[in-house]
Amino acid sequence: MGEQPPAGAGTLGIGADGAFRIHFDRLLRHHPGRVWEALTTPAKLAVWLPGCAIDARIGGDVRFDFGDEGAATGTVLTLHPPTADGGAGELTHSWCWEGLPTSVVVWRLEPTAEGTRLLLTHRELTPEPANEFAIGWQLILDALADFCAGGPGNGDTRGDDTRDDDTAPAGAGRGGVGR
């Protein structure tokens, strides 16, 4: 039997739908609303992922500009913010990279006692670019986690362990939960 990847690491392979995919499963110590805002608020996204933009509305434009390495464009296909009653949030967009078939990226935010379970799936890929894309997604998810934890430019002076009682996920006390 194969070895399990380290927590937060991505996997490459065939998904349940039979399509090749990249999949990440990350635990972030932040409320889903905070992660959602970092992903869908243009001013915040521009800080932790310069050159990239997501117009967070159905049909909105998506652009991931990686300078000399190229750019991916797309369109927002689904948009469901996390709900106050603990419902998961999901953002789905197309991914168009020059010379490759269009693929789909799904960002799913599930509330947990520790904060947010972030599931990122890039599906309907051809296997050839998947290794390069997986490395890119790893770096993007690291930057998102750093930003949510109080990294430069996020405007939050509370630090990564502090939560207001009204923003903590169910079961989390003040001060957050360690990993």
Side-chain angles (χ1 to χ4, degrees):
M1 193 174 276
E3 208 175 289
Q4 286 292 100
T11 57
L12 301 172
I14 305 297
D17 61 359
F20 197 80
R21 71 178 194 160
I22 300 167
H23 181 75
F24 285 87
D25 187 340
R26 292 270 186 108
L27 180 62
L28 303 178
R29 294 176 28 185
H30 313 287
H31 186 269
R34 184 175 186 170
V35 179
W36 184 262
E37 285 182 13
L39 181 61
T40 62
T41 303
K44 291 183 180 190
L45 181 62
V47 170
W48 67 268
L49 199 54
C52 299
I54 297 174
D55 180 2
R57 61 183 176 83
I58 301 295
D61 291 333
V62 175
R63 182 165 181 82
F64 288 79
D65 188 342
F66 303 109
D68 293 341
E69 294 179 29
T73 59
T75 303
V76 174
L77 304 172
T78 65
L79 184 74
H80 305 285
T83 60
D85 64 357
E90 189 169 289
L91 167 67
T92 305
H93 60 81
S94 56
W95 178 273
C96 306
W97 191 277
E98 187 177 346
L100 297 175
T102 299
S103 53
V104 175
V105 176
V106 180
W107 304 77
R108 183 166 174 82
L109 309 178
E110 298 177 353
T112 69
E114 295 82 18
T116 301
R117 179 180 184 201
L118 170 60
L119 303 162
L120 181 131
T121 305
H122 188 161
R123 58 187 166 88
E124 301 171 25
L125 280 170
T126 56
E128 295 77 32
N131 283 334
E132 296 297 320
F133 286 168
I135 292 167
W137 286 122
Q138 177 81 32
L139 296 171
I140 287 169
L141 294 176
D142 288 348
L144 173 59
D146 288 346
F147 178 83
C148 288
N154 80 351
D156 187 349
T157 58
R158 296 178 297 167
D160 69 346
D161 288 88
T162 305
R163 301 175 195 265
D164 295 331
D165 286 336
D166 63 342
T167 61
R174 288 188 69 80
V177 178
R179 270 180 82 144

XYZ file of all heavy atoms in Angstrom, residues 7-44:
288
model
N 0.839 15.983 5.664
C -0.317 16.870 5.791
C -0.107 18.122 4.949
O 0.952 18.736 4.985
C -0.534 17.244 7.249
N -1.114 18.465 4.160
C -1.057 19.668 3.342
C -0.398 19.495 1.990
O -0.448 20.396 1.165
N 0.230 18.347 1.757
C 0.895 18.112 0.477
C -0.140 17.815 -0.599
O -1.224 17.316 -0.322
C 1.878 16.956 0.588
N 0.195 18.103 -1.816
C -0.697 17.823 -2.921
C -0.504 16.418 -3.447
O 0.519 15.780 -3.214
N -1.528 15.940 -4.150
C -1.444 14.643 -4.800
C -1.808 14.821 -6.276
O -2.588 15.702 -6.633
C -2.387 13.608 -4.156
O -3.734 14.104 -4.205
C -1.999 13.329 -2.714
N -1.225 14.001 -7.106
C -1.520 13.959 -8.531
C -2.109 12.601 -8.834
O -1.638 11.591 -8.307
C -0.243 14.117 -9.358
C 0.587 15.374 -9.173
C 1.901 15.256 -9.929
C -0.180 16.581 -9.644
N -3.115 12.556 -9.682
C -3.662 11.259 -10.048
C -5.027 11.384 -10.684
O -5.470 12.462 -11.059
N -5.689 10.250 -10.769
C -7.003 10.167 -11.379
C -8.055 10.338 -10.287
O -8.037 9.634 -9.280
C -7.196 8.807 -12.087
C -6.070 8.542 -13.101
C -8.573 8.734 -12.748
C -5.999 9.517 -14.241
N -8.969 11.285 -10.470
C -10.040 11.524 -9.513
C -11.186 10.545 -9.708
O -11.186 9.724 -10.638
N -12.189 10.638 -8.839
C -13.358 9.762 -8.898
C -14.102 9.894 -10.227
O -14.761 8.951 -10.666
C -14.293 10.064 -7.734
N -13.969 11.053 -10.880
C -14.642 11.280 -12.163
C -13.855 10.721 -13.344
O -14.268 10.844 -14.491
C -14.923 12.763 -12.366
C -13.660 13.620 -12.396
O -12.542 13.075 -12.234
O -13.793 14.842 -12.583
N -12.675 10.112 -13.069
C -11.862 9.524 -14.116
C -10.919 10.497 -14.798
O -10.163 10.120 -15.688
N -10.941 11.758 -14.389
C -10.078 12.779 -14.990
C -8.814 12.957 -14.157
O -8.828 12.799 -12.933
C -10.821 14.111 -15.083
N -7.718 13.302 -14.820
C -6.465 13.569 -14.120
C -6.638 14.845 -13.311
O -7.299 15.791 -13.763
C -5.317 13.725 -15.123
C -3.971 13.589 -14.478
C -3.442 12.342 -14.192
C -3.239 14.703 -14.127
C -2.210 12.201 -13.579
C -1.999 14.585 -13.521
C -1.482 13.325 -13.241
N -6.044 14.889 -12.108
C -6.218 16.050 -11.249
C -5.043 16.266 -10.308
O -4.242 15.358 -10.062
C -7.479 15.911 -10.415
C -7.322 14.847 -9.327
C -8.529 14.727 -8.455
N -8.187 13.949 -7.266
C -8.855 13.967 -6.167
N -9.939 14.697 -6.071
N -8.476 13.249 -5.136
N -4.993 17.481 -9.772
C -4.125 17.854 -8.656
C -5.075 18.110 -7.500
O -6.117 18.755 -7.675
C -3.347 19.145 -8.960
C -2.471 18.992 -10.193
C -2.530 19.575 -7.745
C -1.925 20.314 -10.714
N -4.729 17.638 -6.307
C -5.609 17.848 -5.153
C -4.782 18.191 -3.924
O -3.786 17.519 -3.638
C -6.449 16.595 -4.889
C -7.389 16.740 -3.750
N -8.543 17.471 -3.832
C -7.333 16.267 -2.487
C -9.164 17.434 -2.674
N -8.444 16.704 -1.834
N -5.191 19.240 -3.229
C -4.585 19.629 -1.958
C -5.663 19.613 -0.890
O -6.804 20.004 -1.147
C -3.995 21.046 -2.026
C -2.707 21.135 -2.776
C -2.694 21.322 -4.144
C -1.491 21.039 -2.110
C -1.500 21.410 -4.844
C -0.294 21.121 -2.800
C -0.299 21.310 -4.173
N -5.299 19.204 0.309
C -6.185 19.195 1.467
C -5.400 19.850 2.600
O -4.469 19.256 3.137
C -6.559 17.755 1.811
C -7.605 17.639 2.906
O -7.794 18.613 3.668
O -8.215 16.562 3.008
N -5.735 21.099 2.918
C -4.983 21.887 3.904
C -5.868 22.276 5.071
O -7.046 22.580 4.886
C -4.478 23.192 3.282
C -3.425 23.066 2.222
C -2.050 23.108 2.865
N -0.989 23.139 1.916
C -0.232 24.200 1.658
N -0.427 25.343 2.265
N 0.751 24.123 0.777
N -5.290 22.330 6.249
C -5.966 22.864 7.424
C -5.365 24.228 7.728
O -4.153 24.347 7.930
C -5.788 21.933 8.626
C -6.463 22.403 9.907
C -7.975 22.508 9.719
C -6.131 21.452 11.045
N -6.209 25.258 7.705
C -5.784 26.614 8.031
C -6.419 27.000 9.365
O -7.613 26.753 9.575
C -6.217 27.597 6.942
C -5.727 27.290 5.529
C -6.276 28.317 4.542
C -4.206 27.255 5.472
N -5.659 27.613 10.223
C -6.139 27.977 11.556
C -6.900 29.303 11.541
O -6.683 30.139 12.405
C -4.973 28.045 12.524
C -4.320 26.719 12.778
C -3.121 26.831 13.652
N -3.242 27.975 14.556
C -2.308 28.389 15.367
N -1.164 27.774 15.412
N -2.494 29.431 16.145
N -7.759 29.461 10.583
C -8.494 30.713 10.430
C -9.924 30.413 10.026
O -10.188 29.437 9.321
C -7.819 31.619 9.396
C -6.352 31.700 9.623
N -5.812 32.405 10.677
C -5.319 31.101 9.000
C -4.502 32.238 10.673
N -4.185 31.453 9.664
N -10.825 31.281 10.458
C -12.243 31.147 10.140
C -12.431 31.140 8.619
O -11.736 31.876 7.903
C -12.997 32.316 10.780
C -14.462 32.223 10.643
N -15.139 32.773 9.585
C -15.377 31.629 11.433
C -16.429 32.527 9.719
N -16.597 31.840 10.837
N -13.372 30.337 8.098
C -13.595 30.313 6.643
C -13.878 31.688 6.039
O -13.458 31.967 4.917
C -14.800 29.383 6.477
C -14.736 28.484 7.673
C -14.202 29.339 8.793
N -14.550 32.561 6.779
C -14.820 33.903 6.256
C -13.549 34.685 5.993
O -13.449 35.427 5.016
N -12.567 34.501 6.839
C -11.284 35.194 6.673
C -10.544 34.671 5.440
O -9.973 35.437 4.656
C -10.447 34.989 7.922
C -9.147 35.726 7.935
C -8.485 35.536 9.281
N -7.296 36.330 9.409
C -6.642 36.492 10.539
N -7.067 35.921 11.636
N -5.566 37.228 10.582
N -10.561 33.362 5.257
C -9.903 32.750 4.098
C -10.635 33.167 2.817
O -10.010 33.521 1.816
C -9.834 31.218 4.250
C -9.183 30.572 3.030
C -9.103 30.823 5.535
N -11.971 33.146 2.869
C -12.776 33.536 1.708
C -12.466 34.973 1.290
O -12.296 35.262 0.109
C -14.259 33.373 2.037
C -15.174 33.655 0.901
C -15.853 34.826 0.663
C -15.509 32.774 -0.170
N -16.595 34.710 -0.486
C -16.407 33.464 -1.007
C -15.154 31.473 -0.496
C -16.954 32.889 -2.153
C -15.699 30.901 -1.634
C -16.577 31.608 -2.457
N -12.395 35.874 2.268
C -12.087 37.279 1.961
C -10.705 37.420 1.318
O -10.527 38.201 0.392
C -12.162 38.132 3.220
C -13.572 38.414 3.665
C -13.618 39.299 4.905
O -12.574 39.884 5.273
O -14.704 39.393 5.494
N -9.736 36.677 1.826
C -8.385 36.741 1.245
C -8.391 36.283 -0.206
O -7.648 36.802 -1.038
C -7.419 35.895 2.069
N -9.262 35.340 -0.521
C -9.331 34.771 -1.863
C -10.163 35.621 -2.819
O -9.836 35.734 -4.001
C -9.910 33.354 -1.779
C -10.059 32.559 -3.055
C -8.710 32.337 -3.726
C -10.723 31.221 -2.758
N -11.233 36.249 -2.304
C -12.190 36.895 -3.207
C -12.223 38.421 -3.137
O -12.928 39.041 -3.932
C -13.620 36.363 -2.939
O -13.994 36.703 -1.592
C -13.697 34.863 -3.168
N -11.505 39.033 -2.212
C -11.459 40.491 -2.126
C -10.259 40.976 -2.946
O -9.117 40.660 -2.603
C -11.333 40.947 -0.657
O -12.436 40.416 0.084
C -11.314 42.461 -0.556
N -10.501 41.736 -4.011
C -9.401 42.114 -4.910
C -8.200 42.744 -4.215
O -7.055 42.387 -4.517
C -10.061 43.092 -5.884
C -11.496 42.670 -5.919
C -11.802 42.226 -4.505
N -8.424 43.666 -3.295
C -7.293 44.340 -2.630
C -6.477 43.357 -1.795
O -5.256 43.472 -1.712
C -7.796 45.485 -1.757
N -7.125 42.380 -1.177
C -6.404 41.394 -0.361
C -5.676 40.396 -1.257
O -4.524 40.055 -1.006
C -7.363 40.693 0.594
C -7.871 41.629 1.668
C -8.772 40.935 2.660
C -9.217 41.969 3.699
N -9.889 41.360 4.818
